[in-house]
Amino acid sequence: MFERFTADARAVVVNAQDEARSLHHDHIGTEHILLTLLADPRGPVARSTGLDADSVRAEVLRRIGGHSPDGPVLSDADAEDAAALKAIGIDLAAVREAIEANFGEGALRLPRPVKKRGLFGRLVPSNGHIPFTNRNKKVLELSLREAIRLKQKFIAPEHIMLGLLREGNGLAALIMADHGIDFDRVRGDMERSLSAPAA
């Protein structure tokens, strides 16, 4: 399937891993694909949806947490837990500062996972590969189906967006729905973009 991907579509897949890594997520979800599709503010996805990568990234951090350039970002559920702890006199920010003051910056970061490999079960550090979620694998499969439906022998970023819309249940779809995005209109925009002659 990946041999059908254009250079731009391959970049979407590769850059989704970079997005997940920069947010310190242990998966590549539909939200990471959406972020890379929005990376070019003049691209067809950003023009059609009116969304920008920075606001979507902030929304992802708000919903599922991660890290920002300023450090850890709590999801809404984590923020509620922090507020509950603060109500009984425990300030997580103060605890974090105290731990880092005593043990060094980054002391709270978890080490990279290790995997068992080899004949004798030696532990070998992970190569940093971040797996795609099953839902995201489905999106990529649906992008191929969209290309076949449109009788096209290639998969472009617009096909990936069509796959996101068709799957319709991931965090990316939820964020778009919450922003009032008209999926049918975006679908039409993507199809028109794919049928337009190259400039």
Side-chain angles (χ1 to χ4, degrees), residues 81-99:
D81 291 345
L85 288 171
K86 192 164 193 156
I88 61 170
I90 300 172
D91 182 359
L92 286 181
V95 170
R96 182 178 292 116
E97 286 176 22
I99 290 172

Side-chain angles (χ1 to χ4, degrees), residues 9 13 19 33 40 46 55 68-69 73 98-99 119 133 142 151-152 164 168 188 190:
V13 174
E19 280 289 346
I33 291 288
D40 179 5
S55 64
S68 73
V73 175
I99 290 172
L119 182 60
T133 61
L142 290 171
K151 297 178 175 50
Q152 295 171 324
L164 270 175
M190 295 303 104

Side-chain angles (χ1 to χ4, degrees), residues 7-174:
D8 288 343
R10 288 178 189 198
V12 167
V13 174
V14 169
N15 292 338
Q17 181 165 334
D18 293 339
E19 280 289 346
R21 187 172 284 119
S22 74
L23 296 172
H24 297 272
H25 290 162
D26 62 356
H27 67 281
I28 304 170
T30 60
E31 63 276 14
H32 303 109
I33 291 288
L34 179 60
L35 284 168
T36 60
L37 288 168
L38 294 170
D40 179 5
R42 295 173 313 220
V45 174
R47 281 194 327 262
S48 178
T49 62
L51 296 173
D52 68 274
D54 290 337
S55 64
V56 170
R57 188 174 296 105
E59 183 74 12
V60 168
L61 288 171
R62 186 183 72 75
R63 289 177 185 254
I64 62 173
H67 280 67
S68 73
D70 299 324
V73 175
L74 302 175
S75 69
D76 285 347
D78 292 336
E80 289 171 11
D81 291 345
L85 288 171
K86 192 164 193 156
I88 61 170
I90 300 172
D91 182 359
L92 286 181
V95 170
R96 182 178 292 116
E97 286 176 22
I99 290 172
E100 288 191 345
N102 287 317
F103 298 103
E105 188 175 328
L108 292 172
R109 288 190 202 116
L110 295 174
R112 288 188 175 260
V114 293
K115 295 183 178 180
K116 270 191 165 180
R117 292 194 186 165
L119 182 60
F120 300 106
R122 291 186 320 184
L123 294 177
V124 179
S126 169
N127 64 1
H129 172 75
I130 302 172
F132 280 86
T133 61
N134 288 335
R135 178 165 281 138
N136 214 2
K137 290 176 187 176
K138 182 73 173 176
V139 165
L140 295 177
E141 177 188 319
L142 290 171
S143 68
L144 171 63
R145 290 180 190 223
E146 289 293 328
I148 292 168
R149 181 182 66 81
L150 295 169
K151 297 178 175 50
Q152 295 171 324
K153 296 185 185 289
F154 61 93
I155 298 172
E158 293 92 333
H159 291 109
I160 297 172
M161 184 61 179
L162 289 169
L164 270 175
L165 295 170
R166 188 167 165 185
E167 194 279 330
N169 291 313
L171 182 54
L174 182 62

